[in-house]
Amino acid sequence: MSTHILDTTIGRPSSNVQIKLYKLVEDSWEESSFNGTTDSDGRVRDFPNVNPQVCGVYKLRFEIAEYFERNGIETLYPFIEVKL
């Protein structure tokens, strides 16, 4: 699993964005021990505690409020969640 974030307002990768990983266990989301930050290319290339041999439903939560604040851009969304 990997992810890539692009800031379409400036046409560049979004660096230094915190990402939290969750896994669906029964009926609730459990936060993983992995919390990553995007690199200069807007990527997190590896989620080390995700075993590719174990199926499951995951969710990535992108904490974008700090990124936009740091770049002087107003946003309506403090975070974005993507289910995988």
Side-chain angles (χ1 to χ4, degrees):
M1 185 184 324
S2 66
T3 190
H4 188 205
I5 306 173
L6 299 173
D7 182 340
T8 59
T9 64
I10 57 174
R12 290 186 294 216
S14 302
S15 61
N16 296 315
V17 174
Q18 182 182 10
I19 299 175
K20 296 180 180 177
L21 176 66
Y22 296 83
K23 183 174 182 180
L24 185 62
V25 178
E26 295 184 19
D27 291 331
S28 63
W29 292 101
E30 290 188 3
E31 187 172 356
S32 163
S33 60
F34 175 84
N35 288 314
T37 304
T38 57
D39 63 16
S40 62
D41 193 32
R43 296 178 188 272
V44 173
R45 299 175 193 275
D46 187 31
F47 291 81
N49 58 342
V50 176
N51 183 344
Q53 304 296 323
V54 178
C55 294
V57 177
Y58 293 89
K59 172 173 74 172
L60 293 174
R61 179 177 166 125
F62 300 86
E63 301 292 343
I64 59 168
E66 290 179 22
Y67 169 82
F68 282 117
E69 184 178 316
R70 190 170 55 244
N71 289 289
I73 302 168
E74 290 187 36
T75 182
L76 295 173
Y77 305 103
F79 62 88
I80 296 173
E81 294 183 339
V82 177
K83 295 177 179 90
L84 311 167

